[in-house]
C-alpha cells in the first residue's frame, strides 16, 4: 500500500523553464510534507517543506503547493537550472507525539534540466 | 551540513553472514532513523530510535535489528544477510519530531552488496 506516490518516474525540461513535480498521498493523517533532492552517491538533501495549515510555501526558486482536498502536492522550480538535475522525493509525516517524525516517501522523480 | 557519518560506505558480503552498519552524529539529536533505498520504492523506514536504548520497528524491519547505546551512535545489524538486502542504506537524524516539524537530515549512505 503506497501511501505516497510520485507517478512520473522522470521529467525533462529546458533550462530557464518551469519544472513541476507532482506527488499524491492517501493517508489523511499526514500533516507535514517535505521535498528532498538527491544526487547520485549522496544522501537526500532537504529542500522545502509545508505544513497542512498552509497551501503554499516559497523558498527562492522553489515553491511547494498543497491541495489537501485532492491530497496532492507539487514542487515548482522556476527558473530551472542544469544543477537542479537530480532525483526528487516527496515525503510525508503524521504530527503529534506518537509519530516520532517517521517519514513516508514517494518513489522519486528523476528531473533532467537541459542547457 | 548536519554532522552525520556512515561506515562503511561500501561493503560486499556473502549470504548468511552478519553485517553491522554504523551511523554517527555530532548534532546531539534525539531521533535517528535507518532507511533503505531501492529502485521503484523510494526510501523505506527500517527502524528508528527516539532515545538511548529506545527503538522501534519501521515498515521493513524483518531481518534487521538495531541498537543505540549512546546518543551519537545508531547501529543497524543484518543478522544473516540475504541477497534481498542488497541496497543502499541511509541514516537520518531529526532535531524535533513529533510536533509537525519532522525534518530529517541524511547521511551519505552505505552501499551494500550481498552475494
Amino acid at each position: 500500500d503506497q501511501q505516497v506516490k510520485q507517478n512520473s518516474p522522470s521529467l525533462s525540461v529546458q533550462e530557464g523553464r518551469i519544472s513541476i513535480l507532482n506527488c499524491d498521498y492517501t493517508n489523511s493523517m499526514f500533516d507535514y510534507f517535505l521535498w528532498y533532492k538527491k544526487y547520485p552517491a549522496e544522501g537526500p538533501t532537504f529542500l522545502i517543506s509545508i505544513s497542512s495549515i498552509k497551501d503554499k510555501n516559497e523558498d527562492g526558486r522553489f515553491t511547494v503547493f498543497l491541495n489537501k482536498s485532492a491530497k496532492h502536492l507539487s514542487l515548482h522550480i522556476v527558473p530551472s537550472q542544469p544543477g537542479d538535475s537530480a532525483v526528487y522525493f516527496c515525503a510525508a509525516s503524521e504530527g503529534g507525539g506518537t509519530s516520532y517524525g517517521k517519514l513516508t516517501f514517494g518513489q522519486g522523480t528523476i528531473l533532467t534540466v537541459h542547457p | 551540513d548536519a554532522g552525520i557519518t556512515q561506515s562503511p560506505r561500501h561493503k560486499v558480503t556473502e549470504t548468511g553472514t552478519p553485517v553491522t552498519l554504523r551511523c554517527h552524529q555530532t548534532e546531539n539529536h534525539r531521533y535517528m532513523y535507518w532507511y533503505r533505498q531501492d529502485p521503484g520504492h523510494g526510501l523505506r523506514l527500517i527502524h528508528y530510535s527516539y532515545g538511548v536504548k529506545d527503538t522501534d520497528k519501521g515498515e521493513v524491519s524483518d531481518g534487521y535489528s538495531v541498537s543505540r547505546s549512546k546518543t551519537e551512535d545508531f547501529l543497524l545489524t543484518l543478522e544473516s544477510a540475504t541477497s534481498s538486502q542488497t541496497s543502499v542504506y541511509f541514516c537520518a537524524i531529526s532535531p524535533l519530531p513529533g510536533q509537525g516539524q519532522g525534518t530529517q537530515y541524511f547521511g551519505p549512505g552505505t552501499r551494500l552488496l550481498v552475494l
Side-chain angles (χ1 to χ4, degrees), chain A residues 25-75:
Chain A
Y25 63 96
T26 57
N27 185 346
S28 58
M29 298 301 291
F30 288 147
D31 65 354
Y32 190 66
F33 304 88
L34 310 90
W35 285 95
Y36 284 86
K37 178 170 72 173
K38 186 184 179 304
Y39 293 119
E42 295 184 10
T45 302
F46 170 69
L47 201 54
I48 192 169
S49 63
I50 187 167
S51 166
S52 60
I53 62 174
K54 296 184 177 181
D55 55 16
K56 177 182 174 181
N57 189 28
E58 283 184 85
D59 185 1
R61 297 185 298 115
F62 302 92
T63 302
V64 56
F65 295 92
L66 175 62
N67 182 335
K68 283 183 292 183
S69 60
K71 293 190 175 67
H72 177 84
L73 65 154
S74 61
L75 175 68

Side-chain angles (χ1 to χ4, degrees), chain A residues 1-2 31-32 34 36 38 41-46 49 51 89 93-108, chain B residues 9 31 33 35 37 40-45 48 50 56-59 90 97-109 111:
Chain A
D1 176 28
Q2 191 85 24
D31 65 354
Y32 190 66
L34 310 90
Y36 284 86
K38 186 184 179 304
E42 295 184 10
T45 302
F46 170 69
S49 63
S51 166
F89 292 100
S93 71
E94 299 179 32
T98 60
S99 74
Y100 301 104
K102 293 180 288 183
L103 295 179
T104 301
F105 282 84
Q107 307 96 308
Chain B
R9 293 295 312 278
Y31 291 76
Y33 311 82
Y35 293 87
Q37 185 198 359
H41 291 279
L43 283 82
R44 292 180 292 175
L45 182 65
Y48 63 99
Y50 45 97
D56 205 348
K57 297 178 180 179
E59 177 187 357
F90 290 101
Q99 297 185 19
Q101 296 301 311
T103 301
Q104 295 181 17
Y105 301 93
F106 285 80
R111 188 173 294 272

Side-chain angles (χ1 to χ4, degrees), chain B residues 42-61:
Chain B
L43 283 82
R44 292 180 292 175
L45 182 65
I46 305 171
H47 279 280
Y48 63 99
S49 170
Y50 45 97
V52 173
K53 298 193 189 317
D54 292 322
T55 65
D56 205 348
K57 297 178 180 179
E59 177 187 357
V60 289
S61 60

